[in-house]
Amino acid sequence: MDIEILKEEYSRKMEKALRRGDFALFDNLRRQYDRLLQTREQVTAKTITDTMSKEDKEKCNRILRKIPVLADIAESSAVDLLSLLKKYDGTVTLPMLEELRAFNHIARDLRSIIDRVGDESFAISFGDTCDRVNECIDDIFTTN
């Protein structure tokens, strides 16, 4: 529903409550109205990227692709580490794993936004990209 329509509706209800002298209802409506003013209207990424210059759109696309890849690598690395540690101590836990999973969930949401824009090649190549980036990262740590 349109926020402007909701604002008008709350204003009418608050005015009515004041005329009746129902200050408790007015206070309740006022709190709801204040929360409504704090909400942000969601827009699609495409709405924003359509207004960008070609260079900024390409940069945005690279960044949007990089975030979920890095999140996926971070989570899988944590799972691999936990698995390795459990081989030697079955009771070990890894507190950061839940935080990484939460981060990965957010990244997946971001990726679904990209998928809805219609970049089918990204959806198909995501796993391969993660593997290639992970190999490059491993190579960096192996050679240093």
Side-chain angles (χ1 to χ4, degrees):
M1 185 177 240
D2 186 17
I3 289 180
E4 292 304 316
I5 294 171
L6 288 172
K7 286 162 95 176
E8 289 175 20
E9 189 176 315
Y10 273 108
S11 294
R12 273 195 317 276
K13 287 180 179 180
M14 287 187 296
E15 185 179 325
K16 202 177 200 181
L18 278 177
R19 275 190 261 131
R20 286 191 316 224
D22 191 343
F23 300 113
L25 177 61
F26 174 81
D27 285 341
N28 185 20
L29 290 168
R30 182 64 191 189
R31 281 192 297 279
Q32 291 176 32
Y33 181 78
D34 289 343
R35 279 195 301 271
L36 174 66
L37 294 178
Q38 298 300 318
T39 61
R40 302 280 190 246
E41 203 169 336
Q42 290 188 355
V43 295
T44 64
K46 186 171 179 8
T47 303
I48 297 169
T49 58
D50 281 350
T51 63
M52 291 181 172
S53 69
K54 183 179 178 187
E55 296 81 22
D56 284 345
K57 189 183 285 192
E58 288 171 359
K59 182 178 182 180
C60 182
N61 190 34
R62 281 192 311 274
I63 293 169
L64 286 172
R65 288 176 150 205
K66 185 170 40 171
I67 291 170
V69 169
L70 294 174
D72 184 83
I73 292 169
E75 185 195 17
S76 66
S77 296
V79 169
D80 291 346
L81 175 61
L82 183 59
S83 176
L84 181 62
L85 293 173
K86 282 190 178 230
K87 215 165 116 175
Y88 294 92
D89 180 353
T91 63
V92 72
T93 61
L94 195 59
M96 75 173 171
L97 182 60
E98 288 308 313
E99 292 174 13
L100 289 169
R101 283 189 177 137
F103 178 74
N104 198 32
H105 178 72
I106 292 167
R108 268 189 236 121
D109 286 346
L110 178 61
R111 187 173 66 241
S112 73
I113 291 168
I114 297 167
D115 292 343
R116 285 193 301 265
V117 170
D119 189 348
E120 190 175 328
S121 65
F122 172 67
I124 293 169
S125 68
F126 179 74
D128 293 338
T129 301
C130 290
D131 291 343
R132 285 195 320 267
V133 171
N134 196 30
E135 287 172 11
C136 291
I137 292 170
D138 283 345
D139 288 346
I140 290 169
F141 286 104
T142 302
T143 59
N144 289 331

